[in-house]
């Protein structure tokens, strides 16, 4: 093989080596950029998830407080209803007793 041919092959290999080095440097740069984007997205996502969790907890706490108030009000209504039912039954019993005294048949309406 002639010296010229050997020199030409060496120049070609050197150029290929240089191109491969440039390619690797470019790929490493792009990989680093991609990794940074992924890290940024991960941070944004985690931040947003934390915000959503805090908002959901606030809403759940509010709903729980409202539910307790509704239960308290329903319990009050229930106690009033039970008292009213007892009053109605007592009044019905009195009416029956009075009608029996008077000889009138009482018809229950309830």
């Amino acid at each position: 093989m002639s010296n010229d041919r050997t020199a030409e092959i060496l120049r070609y290999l050197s150029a290929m080596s240089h191109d491969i080095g440039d390619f690797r440097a470019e790929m490493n740069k792009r990989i680093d950029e991609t990794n940074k984007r992924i890290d940024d997205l991960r941070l944004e996502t985690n931040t947003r998830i934390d915000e959503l969790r805090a908002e959901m907890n606030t809403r759940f706490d509010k709903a729980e407080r409202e539910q307790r108030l509704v239960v308290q009000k329903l319990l009050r209504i229930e106690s009033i209803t039970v008292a009213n039912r007892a009053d109605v039954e007592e009044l019905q019993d009195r009416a029956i007793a009075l009608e029996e005294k008077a000889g009138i048949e009482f018809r229950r309406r309830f």
Side-chain angles (χ1 to χ4, degrees):
M1 200 187 296
S2 72
N3 283 342
D4 288 343
R5 181 74 177 144
T6 303
E8 183 180 336
I9 291 172
L10 287 175
R11 280 193 302 277
Y12 178 74
L13 289 174
S14 175
M16 278 182 50
S17 175
H18 181 72
D19 287 348
I20 290 172
D22 288 348
F23 176 76
R24 288 182 68 185
E26 180 67 24
M27 289 307 297
N28 286 336
K29 179 182 172 190
R30 289 186 184 200
I31 287 171
D32 290 343
E33 289 172 355
T34 302
N35 286 338
K36 183 177 179 343
R37 286 184 197 158
I38 290 170
D39 289 342
D40 290 347
L41 285 172
R42 186 175 292 134
L43 180 63
E44 277 182 48
T45 302
N46 288 338
T47 301
R48 185 63 181 140
I49 287 171
D50 290 343
E51 290 171 356
L52 289 172
R53 280 185 182 147
E55 184 178 338
M56 283 176 34
N57 286 336
T58 300
R59 288 183 180 187
F60 284 141
D61 290 344
K62 181 181 177 186
E64 188 176 15
R65 284 191 305 272
E66 289 175 356
Q67 188 250 351
R68 282 189 196 127
L69 289 173
V70 168
V71 167
Q72 289 173 353
K73 289 177 182 179
L74 287 173
L75 289 173
R76 283 187 214 136
I77 290 171
E78 180 186 27
S79 66
I80 292 168
T81 303
V82 168
N84 285 344
R85 179 176 287 161
D87 290 345
V88 167
E89 288 174 0
E90 182 184 340
L91 290 174
Q92 285 176 341
D93 290 343
R94 283 184 184 177
I96 291 171
L98 288 174
E99 289 175 351
E100 285 174 354
K101 258 186 178 179
I104 303 171
E105 184 180 323
F106 178 75
R107 291 185 214 149
R108 286 197 178 248
R109 294 183 186 164
F110 300 99

